[in-house]
Amino acid sequence: MRPVDAMLHILREEGVTRVFGNPGTSELPFTDALAEVDDIDYVLGVHEGSVVAMADGYARATGRTAFVSLHIAAGLANGLVGLLNASRSRTPLVVTAGQQDRRHLASDPMLSGDLVGIAAAAVKQTFDVQHAHDLPIMLRRAFAAARRPPAGPVFLSIPMDLLAEDVDVDVPERSVLAPQGPATSLGSASQLLVSARNPAIVAGDGVGRDGAVAELVRVAEAIGATVYHQPMNDGVDFPGSHPLHGGMLAPTNQAIRDRLDGHDVVFIVGTHAFMAHHYTPVSPIPDGTAVVQLDSDPAEIGRNFAVRLGLCGGIRSTLAALVPLLCSPLAAARTAAAGALAAARWDAVQRKALAGYGRAPLDPLVAAHAVVAGLPQDAVVVEEAITTGVLLRDVLRQDLPGSYVHTVGGGLGWGIGAAIGRQMGDAHRPVVAVLGDGCAMFGLQGLWAAARYEVPVTFVVMNNGEYRTLKETLDNWDSRSTRAGNYVGLDLGSPALDFTRAAGFFGIESVRVTDADHLVEVVAKSTRSSTPLLVDVPITGHGGKS
Ligand SMILES: Cc1ncc(C[n+]2csc(CCOP(=O)(O)OP(=O)(O)O)c2C)c(N)n1
Ligand SMILES: [Mg+2]
């Protein structure tokens, strides 16, 4: 087989039916070969930030590794934020870029560069393909590495002349990977959990990714443990309406420590290092609290804090094996107590949000509540909404796994593309993207693909005309009243951003909504529609200004 045919053959066998890319000269041998096949589509993004974000959302929707084609050094560099996000979110991607023709590479031709060097800091493994015969085995290895725990993006540099070579290369068969089995020492783990006076569980994103939500529910119910979502969770790792759900841990060590205080045993499942954001000078684990930790990646165990017992194995298989070993006579009483607290928290936030209906401009909590009120049961929410996103998590109770999509990566400009990819990967569920105005600006070109491929996502932009979160951070550092609104580089609102005009430029329908009840209606209607819609929602900003 010719190298380029071997590449297409392997893509097919790895389940790739869509390539997300933006081409240049060095990718033309690949895109030209794609023109000859009708079972692999090329999805064009007009900026590599959107390309990688689409692939990220798509991989999460399909549960398969997504394939990305970027253009040499420049295209790869533009895609790096997405690769950093995918690394943090453990999204399996195989990413390629065409290298310059090797016959003049030594003379440093235009756009060439150290592709593996550029990619290396953002991905889990790189391959510098130099011989046509190496391409198939390296591509196979890349697909295997992308999904091996910890899953993530893997990069291959493929010289354009190599792909165009007319030589016959062998293609190795696809390796079949059995799922990870349960960890050892489950007897000791169950003893620690069952004998705890006040156990807690931290549900990390590894739970949702491993399809282990139902198993974690059984573990929690067997011992009556309160379950907290990891800080800034990427997905649904525990059902939001379950009485044992204690909410999300805030992303500082101090906040985590305060929340875990009083729990003598904490079972931490599938979370990378707790993902603290702002520095606080303490350990997230209270003194005297024993940690039992489970992860599919041995490097996570005891990484940032000591563990009483570390379990390394498949998350789903380990939790399933643990369930029959767990039983506590106190479970029912603990569940009832936790359920009463959860219900009180829920009622309080509902009352607070509903009290703001009828006022304009909308308070962000009210806007988030109205979006949620318009969602159908099976909706998927893709969130890149920063300060409104945190409030959204309080009013959104999702039970269906896969219903919430976020990136702990924190590199902005991901949301629009990720929502499009999420919808492309699973067209049966309506997708609503909730975006900060700042975030939307980083990834605005992504809208082009929504229009081009008629992807029916509802894009809701929470428009406060500012980087509110950074103003809040400054105020938390320094509450001097002398600051008096003096923030450098944090305002977007002058001239005011009219996102309906941006949507119009891309050929996407839009509406500006200033009333909560109207927002409920617009979201409900849009999620039944077969075309994309952008909803521009002016909200109050820092200090209550609009
Ligand atoms: C690529 C990138 N650049 C800059 C930042 C820093 N940053 C974090 S949050 C933020 C502002 C987000 O603003 P917006 O989406 O409007 O949300 P708001 O704070 O107003 O809720 C910025 C610029 C980042 N995380 N990623
Ligand atoms: Mg903003």
Side-chain angles (χ1 to χ4, degrees):
M1 233 181 257
R2 292 182 313 148
V4 72
D5 296 326
M7 188 165 171
L8 296 182
H9 178 82
I10 290 173
L11 296 192
R12 276 189 198 99
E13 285 198 349
E14 298 290 344
V16 173
T17 54
R18 283 189 168 106
V19 170
F20 295 90
N22 186 285
T25 319
S26 49
E27 292 71 40
L28 291 181
F30 176 59
T31 51
D32 195 36
L34 282 178
E36 302 295 315
V37 305
D38 53 15
D39 56 344
I40 303 178
D41 292 329
Y42 188 87
V43 179
L44 177 67
V46 292
H47 184 280
E48 292 80 356
S50 319
V51 169
V52 180
M54 284 194 286
D56 187 326
Y58 184 79
R60 297 215 218 173
T62 58
R64 295 195 307 270
T65 301
F67 187 78
V68 178
S69 171
L70 302 177
H71 177 48
I72 206 165
L76 170 60
N78 268 349
L80 282 178
V81 178
L83 300 183
L84 290 165
N85 285 338
S87 284
R88 289 254 172 195
S89 286
R90 310 285 194 234
T91 307
L93 304 177
V94 170
V95 182
T96 59
Q99 178 56 292
Q100 263 280 11
D101 193 313
R102 287 166 300 176
R103 289 168 296 187
H104 69 159
L105 190 56
S107 66
D108 202 17
M110 188 194 255
L111 287 160
S112 68
D114 176 8
L115 302 192
V116 298
I118 293 170
V123 301
K124 64 180 281 197
Q125 207 171 335
T126 58
F127 295 89
D128 193 2
V129 187
Q130 283 300 335
H131 298 283
H133 293 283
D134 291 339
L135 178 64
I137 190 71
M138 285 183 165
L139 201 49
R140 285 284 194 218
R141 246 184 256 166
F143 273 98
R147 61 178 186 273
R148 190 168 52 234
V154 173
F155 175 75
L156 299 101
S157 161
I158 308 175
M160 62 182 291
D161 57 307
L162 184 154
L163 211 52
E165 272 180 45
D166 195 12
V167 292
D168 193 25
V169 297
D170 292 336
V171 181
E173 281 185 19
R174 183 171 194 262
S175 304
V176 177
L177 204 69
Q180 267 183 316
T184 58
S185 302
L186 296 187
S188 310
S190 74
Q191 261 172 23
L192 277 163
L193 295 173
V194 168
S195 62
R197 186 180 32 79
N198 184 15
I201 294 174
V202 177
D205 288 321
V207 176
R209 276 195 303 269
D210 213 25
V213 173
E215 287 74 9
L216 188 63
V217 167
R218 290 211 285 280
V219 167
E221 287 175 349
I223 55 174
T226 301
V227 182
Y228 302 105
H229 255 115
Q230 74 162 67
M232 308 316 292
N233 52 295
D234 264 5
V236 175
D237 304 304
F238 197 76
S241 65
H242 196 286
L244 285 168
H245 194 284
M248 183 190 81
L249 296 171
T252 69
N253 280 0
Q254 184 69 60
I256 296 168
R257 187 185 176 94
D258 291 347
R259 204 68 182 270
L260 297 183
D261 197 27
H263 292 292
D264 55 334
V265 177
V266 179
F267 185 25
I268 298 174
V269 186
T271 176
H272 171 60
F274 261 145
M275 298 287 189
H277 186 197
H278 301 302
Y279 172 73
T280 49
V282 293
S283 161
I285 309 300
D287 298 338
T289 296
V291 174
V292 180
Q293 188 183 6
L294 165 63
D295 211 286
S296 53
D297 175 10
E300 288 299 338
I301 309 289
R303 191 177 186 279
N304 283 351
F305 39 80
V307 298
R308 182 72 60 85
L309 182 62
L311 305 172
C312 186
I315 291 179
R316 184 146 72 117
S317 54
T318 301
L319 294 174
L322 201 51
V323 172
L325 308 180
L326 298 173
C327 180
S328 165
L330 301 173
R334 285 179 187 148
T335 304
L341 285 176
R345 268 199 317 273
W346 181 252
D347 289 346
V349 76
Q350 291 298 311
R351 265 201 307 277
K352 192 170 170 198
L354 288 169
Y357 274 56
R359 284 195 212 132
L362 293 177
D363 178 87
L365 176 69
V366 181
H369 186 276
V371 170
V372 171
L375 294 176
Q377 200 70 46
D378 59 343
V380 175
V381 174
V382 177
E383 181 259 310
E384 188 182 34
I386 315 297
T387 53
T388 309
V390 173
L391 302 168
L392 178 71
R393 288 164 187 264
D394 284 340
V395 291
L396 182 62
R397 267 204 316 207
Q398 290 171 310
D399 293 342
L400 271 181
S403 302
Y404 196 73
V405 185
H406 171 78
T407 179
V408 281
L412 304 186
W414 163 94
I416 291 176
I420 295 167
R422 181 66 182 74
Q423 210 287 336
M424 282 182 164
D426 175 9
H428 301 297
R429 296 181 66 180
V431 175
V432 175
V434 184
L435 309 158
D437 51 352
C439 295
M441 289 300 291
F442 279 95
L444 206 58
Q445 297 100 327
L447 290 177
W448 181 88
R452 164 68 182 79
Y453 300 106
E454 297 175 2
V455 187
V457 170
T458 306
F459 301 98
V460 183
V461 182
M462 298 297 184
N463 192 348
N464 56 15
E466 63 184 1
Y467 294 157
R468 177 172 180 162
T469 185
L470 299 177
K471 293 184 178 179
E472 288 181 355
T473 304
L474 271 174
D475 285 3
N476 283 338
W477 286 351
D478 163 17
S479 54
R480 281 175 308 165
S481 53
T482 50
R483 179 172 297 287
N486 182 17
Y487 302 99
V488 172
L490 304 183
D491 283 302
L492 304 174
S494 177
L497 290 172
D498 182 345
F499 284 90
T500 62
R501 289 173 66 188
F505 171 72
F506 288 107
I508 288 179
E509 280 189 41
S510 65
V511 56
R512 174 170 277 231
V513 177
T514 53
D515 173 81
D517 289 314
H518 186 206
L519 185 53
V520 179
E521 265 171 52
V522 165
V523 171
K525 186 162 169 238
S526 176
T527 51
R528 292 191 298 269
S529 152
S530 56
T531 53
L533 178 76
L534 185 140
V535 189
D536 188 3
V537 185
I539 56 169
T540 54
H542 193 53
K545 300 186 302 285
S546 66

